[in-house]
Structure formats: structure tokens, C-alpha cells
Amino acid sequence: MQTSRTPDHAPAPSPADGVPPPSADRFLTGRTALVTGAASGIGLACARTLAAAGAHVYVVDKAADAAKNLADEIGATAWVVDLSDPEAVDTLPADADIVVNNAGLQHIAPVHAFPPERFALIQRVMVEAPFRILRRTLPGMYERGWGRVVNISSVHGLRASPYKAAYVTAKHALEGLSKVVALEAAEHGVTSNCVSPGYVRTPLVENQIAAQARTHGISEEEVVGQVMLERSAVKSLIEPEDVAEAVLWLCGPRTGHITGTSLSMDGGWTAN
């Protein structure tokens, strides 16, 4: 059964509601976006980009000072929450029109030596928290007849690498959750997609580059080109802003039939 509002034509809040009509470059005026892990890296870029397009952003992060500083900068609302705590996740606001599940963490170890508590932590933050957030926010999107779910996956949601059992498992699970939501939400004007980048120039990745350069006795440029991007045709890191622009596009007009997909931004990694 189809709703009377199609995904591309659901009305934004009207001027009668006290919200001015959106301009072409602020097409998300009147919308609310919830971004996890928003105080740094990809999440920071997404929060800034969505706010610049007119959305009011919930900046969700456990780094209190960074979250509050960003919220002040872009006119957003900071929510200081530890996503590994299910009860804390359930306190997040449920009125978001756009959800960007971005928060994540990494741990490197072979499976036989992987700490079980670390594996469980990564699943709570990267799988259970997105599920709980969507469980709370989807009913409101359904009622309004419009919504956008964008899950920041990874090339590791599509391919595996050794020593990253928890991360690869979590990203594959996130891809599956995204597809289930796409099927359930389609009749309500809500889309659900993944953006799956390769290595992105974030503080976490830059620290890894420096550490590997010291360990292997090679330059940082060689770490990027020969180690991290060995399987990528494009031998450069992705900028967080590029990922954010892909997220924004999926939240924009004429994308209502794009759902249940994974948008690869891996420099050709998965073409191999």
C-alpha cells in the first residue's frame, strides 16, 4: 500500500508553522537530523553539511566539550550520550526526520586473540545503537510521510580484512539492518541506504598512518599508497566532506527511489 505522499514530494513544514519556505541550497529547512559520532571526523562533516542545508542537527557524541562546541558553531543541539549504554541511547530524541548512524570504533587482533568484551562493545555501538535509534525515530517518520536513514558503513561492510573481526561483523550487520529498514519503510516515504567509504582522512586514520610508518620504517605516503590503499585504484584518502556530500545527496530531492542500496566510495576497491 502506498501513502499519499511520495518520498520525493513529501511537503516540508509550511510557513504557517512558522518555518520559512526553503531555498534551493537550504532544502532541508524545517527538517531535523540526528547524527551520531558527530563531534569529529565523518560525523562532524555530516553535521556541518546538513546544518548548512537548513536542518536542525542533534549532535550526538560522548565527547561533551567537542559536541557542545560544534553545536554552538552550527546552531545545533548537543546530546552527550555513550552509545554503548542501551538505556542512554533510549533517551535520544525521537523526532528526527533524518538519521545518520555514523559512530564507530576499531580494534585490531586475530580472532583467536580478540577480547570478547571488545567485540561486544563494538556491536553495541555500531549495531545495537543504530537499531535502537531507528526503533525510536521511524514511527515519527512514518507519521510525517517522509524520512531519510543514512548508515555510514564501510568498504568493510562489503569486503573483509584480517584482524578486524568485530568491525567487519558490525559493518556487515549495519548493511543488513539498512536493507530491512528500506523494505519496511518504503510505503511510508522513508528511504534507507548505506554510504560505504574506504579509508577516510580522519584523526583516527591519520594516527594509524603515523604509527604504521614508525613500525615499518617507511614514509607516511608509502603507508597510504602501499598498505592502506593497496586494493584501491585511487591512491588517496577520502575527505570527510566528500562523504558528507554523499549523505546530503541521499537526503535531497529526486532520491526517493534510491533505497536499500550501498553507495561505494572506495576508490575502486570493490571493483577488484
Side-chain angles (χ1 to χ4, degrees):
M1 182 181 72
Q2 295 293 322
T3 61
S4 59
R5 300 175 183 176
T6 64
D8 282 332
H9 297 89
S14 68
D17 297 322
V19 179
S23 62
D25 59 347
R26 290 182 63 82
F27 59 87
L28 293 178
T29 297
R31 303 294 188 194
T32 301
L34 185 153
V35 182
T36 67
S40 66
I42 294 171
L44 175 76
C46 288
R48 283 176 171 159
T49 299
L50 292 168
H56 181 79
V57 178
Y58 295 137
V59 175
V60 179
D61 206 291
K62 68 177 183 179
D65 290 343
K68 291 172 182 175
N69 289 340
L70 176 61
D72 289 342
E73 173 195 328
I74 65 175
T77 302
W79 284 81
V80 180
V81 170
D82 182 350
L83 295 179
S84 69
D85 180 352
E87 292 184 1
V89 174
D90 288 344
T91 68
L92 289 171
D95 63 341
D97 303 294
I98 298 164
V99 169
V100 181
N101 286 310
N102 164 73
L105 64 157
Q106 180 65 279
H107 187 87
I108 308 297
V111 171
H112 68 273
F114 210 103
E117 65 278 5
R118 193 69 176 174
F119 187 95
L121 171 67
I122 290 173
Q123 307 315 306
R124 286 201 304 274
V125 172
M126 297 172 60
V127 183
E128 183 177 351
F131 160 74
R132 286 181 174 272
I133 290 168
L134 293 176
R135 184 174 179 273
R136 289 175 56 77
T137 55
L138 283 173
M141 296 184 198
Y142 292 172
E143 183 178 349
R144 293 185 293 275
W146 191 91
R148 295 290 185 266
V149 176
V150 185
N151 300 298
I152 305 301
S153 181
S154 164
V155 66
H156 285 114
L158 307 171
R159 297 288 189 271
S161 289
Y163 311 118
K164 298 180 180 180
Y167 189 87
V168 170
T169 297
K171 290 301 188 183
H172 273 68
L174 187 63
E175 294 268 354
L177 175 63
S178 184
K179 291 175 182 177
V180 170
V181 171
L183 297 178
E184 293 183 3
E187 66 177 299
H188 302 287
V190 177
T191 66
S192 177
N193 295 285
C194 288
V195 175
S196 303
Y199 284 101
V200 180
R201 192 186 305 278
T202 63
L204 178 64
V205 168
E206 290 185 326
N207 289 337
Q208 290 177 4
I209 293 170
Q212 290 199 36
R214 290 192 299 270
T215 298
H216 298 293
I218 60 178
S219 70
E220 294 189 2
E221 291 75 14
E222 288 173 314
V223 170
V224 173
Q226 298 176 17
V227 179
M228 288 186 165
L229 302 180
E230 177 187 4
R231 287 174 283 183
S232 297
V234 180
K235 301 297 184 182
S236 60
L237 297 176
I238 303 163
E239 299 300 329
E241 292 76 15
D242 292 344
V243 180
E245 287 294 331
V247 171
L248 181 65
W249 177 70
L250 287 170
C251 296
R254 308 302 171 192
T255 58
H257 287 83
I258 301 173
T259 195
T261 68
S262 184
L263 177 59
S264 296
M265 297 183 68
D266 60 14
W269 185 329
T270 51
N272 286 314

